[in-house]
Amino acid sequence: MSKIINAIRGMNDILPDDIYLWQYIETTLREVFASFGYREIRFPVVEKTQLFKRSIGEVTDIVEKEMYTFEDRNGDSLTLRPEGTAGCVRACIENGLLYNQTQRLWYLGDMFRYERPQKGRYRQFSQFGVEAYGFPGPDIDAELIAMNAHFWRRLGLAEHFTLQINSLGTSEERKNYRQALVSYLQTHEQALDADSQRRLSSNPLRILDSKNPAMQAIISEAPQLLDYLGEASTQHFHQVLRYLDNAAINYEVNPRLVRGLDYYSHTVFEWVTERLGAQNTVSAGGRYDVLVEQLGGKPTPAMGFALGVDRLVVLLQECQQLPAKQTTQVYLIMMGEAAKQQGFKLAETLRSSLPELRLLMHCGGGSVKSQFKKADKSEAQIALIIGEDEAAAEQVTIKYLRETKPQQTLAQDQLQQLLVAHFQ
Ligand code: HAM
């Protein structure tokens, strides 16, 4: 026997027994998007490497060490998308979607990051992303945050989430803050861990995000970005908070929330949960008002977020908020060639007239006993049996597999009525 070839570490199969959770999330979120007036966009999984470097930032973890980058046969450097915002902006610019118009968009797709795999962190993972273009005000920030709150309520998970929010202000404000932060951290340089020492010159704001317990005392005493915001930025932030207050959406202002991608300005937020261990952020995003221009479009305010579907699936399982499974309703058992021919025709008729019915037709023959076993395993509520006698009389026998109801035999053309009554 040949040696088995396994999947790549951190890239998971989603098996038929689990897929209902994914479909449930997808259906629920699609309904929320429609109710908020957002439209779907699809763009490629692979883009030019330069797109991600220029948008996410050269000195971010994602670009420095997590991208799946390769040369194609042409010698061009391409990258499997590590996130969706860059591709979405590129697609909007390229297709003229931002020209004198606003856009409210969503996408669903797989993203790729070469991270160390653990529960809730994978190398191929699925994100729902939402991006809104052309809206400069705090109202859209609040709308996108509120959309998340609707997700959690619809999925029965509201009590498990906390919203953390911060403002990163403008790049000018961040520059001033950066100077203050660096001077403060330099006075503690000896106490910084290796990662933070490295970041001190490249990306000092990310030091605030350090999970190292030894760093927490230094970080908690550091100057706060919110104190460096100008009038307009402060007002924008307070207006967002007022919208949230009015909608009774609870939040924690977290002055250390900085996000791991460089394109953000003003409002940033993360929805975190205590039920997932270390990988506790399920949905995250913020405003990115300069990215469209950076990628060659005309200046366009933008705001968005992305939600990790894999983490949401784990959370549904952890919290036992599981939807009902869509199992088989009817299993069709047939004995003999004439019965098989009739059964096939009957299944076809039922599928045309009752398109919602979940009917499994036995294939491959076998004894009545083995066919009943399969019917039971399929979790069907009803077995339809066409044996030789039924075939001769164009009848069908109905056996109830999950309730104590006597079996009955009736004409095949009366079956539809019975099924409609049973499953209505
Ligand atoms: P992000 O924070 O990098 O933001 O990712 C958003 C979400 O994707 C995370 O909160 C998490 O749920 C999920 N996620 C990220 N990495 C992994 C992983 N390795 N395994 C499983 N899930 C993961 C962005 O991607 C931005 N594009 C969000 C955004 C959109 N900002 C503005 N618009």
Side-chain angles (χ1 to χ4, degrees), residues 62 66 82-86 107 111-113 115 118 120-131 133 259-261 263-264 270-271 279-288 303-312:
I62 296 180
E66 294 173 2
E83 58 105 54
T85 308
Y107 50 85
M111 309 294 159
F112 302 83
R113 294 183 194 176
E115 294 194 80
Q118 63 180 84
R121 188 166 71 193
Y122 312 106
R123 289 180 174 170
Q124 177 175 343
F125 58 95
S126 172
Q127 273 188 350
F128 263 110
V130 180
E131 317 288 354
Y133 298 106
R259 309 277 301 124
L261 304 94
Y263 47 62
Y264 292 110
E270 292 192 355
W271 286 89
Q279 304 309 318
N280 62 354
T281 307
V282 176
S283 179
R287 198 162 257 291
Y288 53 99
M303 167 83 188
F305 69 88
L307 175 153
V309 187
D310 306 68
R311 290 186 189 174
L312 199 49

Side-chain angles (χ1 to χ4, degrees), residues 8-11 61-62 64-69 80-82 111-117 121-125:
I8 296 163
R9 209 160 90 85
M11 300 198 178
D61 282 354
I62 296 180
E64 275 185 343
K65 49 189 185 196
E66 294 173 2
M67 295 208 299
Y68 280 91
T69 297
L80 292 184
R81 62 182 180 194
M111 309 294 159
F112 302 83
R113 294 183 194 176
Y114 191 80
E115 294 194 80
R116 198 166 47 78
R121 188 166 71 193
Y122 312 106
R123 289 180 174 170
Q124 177 175 343
F125 58 95

Side-chain angles (χ1 to χ4, degrees), residues 12 41 80 211 290 355 370:
N12 302 318
I41 182 167
L80 292 184
K211 303 280 183 288
V290 288
S370 73

